[in-house]
């Protein structure tokens, strides 16, 4: 039996030419790179996106503030009790058909902040821990969500332009996009069961 291997390297596209262009050609170059990567691989990585390393590291620290709490505190925000499935997912809550055992990760979900739950539950309020100071979790996580949402909309715009459509297409088809943010923490490999 022969096993064929492929070394596929996904392109890393610098979005700064689109976000802060120095010339009109800069935007067109980024659009072309994204279009080509989408057509060839279906995926790409980005840099020059404007999210600072310090904000990314800050998010990880704030997540640690939440995940390091006692299980009882985290379970008060269980996403299983929330009609929008926002909040905390405990280790073991995720078991898909065919899995040998539940997933060992824990996660926290948020989405766009809407005042009331709208069926079927895509829109509604987020859950936030009341026992942590706002600046220790809620404020920085929400700020990061807003920054990455804006980045996501920019990438959508680039994709739409790469397909030959005007950016205004998003005004018609993405009036209230569903943009969840899933923040995951896996335990160290030494703390998980084999399989």
């Amino acid at each position: 039996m022969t096993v064929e291997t492929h070394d596929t390297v996904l392109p890393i596209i610098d979005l700064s030419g689109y976000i802060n262009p120095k010339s009109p050609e800069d935007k067109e170059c980024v659009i072309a790179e994204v279009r080509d990567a989408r057509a060839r691989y279906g995926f790409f990585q980005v840099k020059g996106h404007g999210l600072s390393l310090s904000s990314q590291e800050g998010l990880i620290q704030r997540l640690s503030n939440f995940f390091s709490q006692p299980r009882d505190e985290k379970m008060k925000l269980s996403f299983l009790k929330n009609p929008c499935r926002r909040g905390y997912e405990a280790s073991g809550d995720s078991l898909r058909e065919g899995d040998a055992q539940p997933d060992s990760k824990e996660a926290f979900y948020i989405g766009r902040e809407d005042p009331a739950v709208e069926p079927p539950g895509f829109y509604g309020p987020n859950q936030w821990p009341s026992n942590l100071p706002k600046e220790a979790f809620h404020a920085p996580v929400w700020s990061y969500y807003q920054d990455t949402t804006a980045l996501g909309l920019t990438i959508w715009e680039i994709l739409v332009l790469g397909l030959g459509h005007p950016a205004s297409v998003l005004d018609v088809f993405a009036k209230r996009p569903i943009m969840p943010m899933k923040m995951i923490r896996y335990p160290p490999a030494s703390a998980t069961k084999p399989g």
Side-chain angles (χ1 to χ4, degrees):
M1 177 171 129
T2 304
V3 176
E4 191 173 328
T5 62
H6 299 278
D7 291 331
T8 301
V9 178
L10 295 177
I12 301 173
I13 299 173
D14 187 345
L15 298 182
S16 63
Y18 188 87
I19 295 170
N20 297 304
K22 292 183 177 43
S23 72
E25 294 80 27
D26 289 351
K27 277 191 161 192
E28 291 305 320
C29 181
V30 173
I31 293 167
E33 286 183 70
V34 169
R35 180 181 52 242
D36 294 346
R38 178 202 44 83
R40 182 166 181 189
Y41 303 103
F43 296 94
F44 54 91
Q45 301 174 74
V46 297
K47 67 179 185 177
H49 44 64
L51 298 175
S52 70
L53 181 59
S54 64
S55 72
Q56 295 171 53
E57 291 170 340
L59 176 71
I60 292 168
Q61 176 58 50
R62 286 356 183 262
L63 293 175
S64 180
N65 291 345
F66 177 77
F67 288 129
S68 64
Q69 295 185 100
R71 180 176 169 84
D72 291 349
E73 279 299 321
K74 295 183 285 189
M75 290 306 293
K76 290 176 183 176
L77 299 172
S78 174
F79 80 123
L80 297 174
K81 300 176 192 170
N82 182 280
C84 298
R85 299 206 37 108
R86 297 186 188 174
Y88 176 66
E89 176 186 3
S91 178
D93 280 351
S94 179
L95 179 63
R96 293 180 302 264
E97 188 175 325
D99 286 351
Q101 61 186 20
D103 198 331
S104 59
K105 75 172 182 313
E106 57 181 341
F108 194 85
Y109 301 86
I110 63 171
R112 43 178 296 153
E113 193 72 68
D114 289 295
V117 175
E118 294 180 36
F122 295 130
Y123 303 105
N126 291 306
Q127 297 191 87
W128 299 102
S130 60
N131 64 324
L132 291 174
K134 194 169 183 174
E135 66 277 359
F137 187 74
H138 181 167
V141 168
W142 183 246
S143 177
Y144 194 84
Y145 173 82
Q146 291 177 307
D147 292 345
T148 55
T149 295
L151 174 60
L153 291 172
T154 298
I155 292 172
W156 267 10
E157 183 176 292
I158 294 168
L159 289 165
V160 165
L161 292 168
L163 291 170
H165 300 289
S168 60
V169 149
L170 293 172
D171 298 334
V172 176
F173 292 104
K175 290 181 182 179
R176 286 181 73 196
I178 300 165
M179 294 193 245
M181 185 163 111
K182 180 178 184 178
M183 298 159 279
I184 302 171
R185 181 174 83 165
Y186 280 94
S190 61
T192 60
K193 296 177 186 174

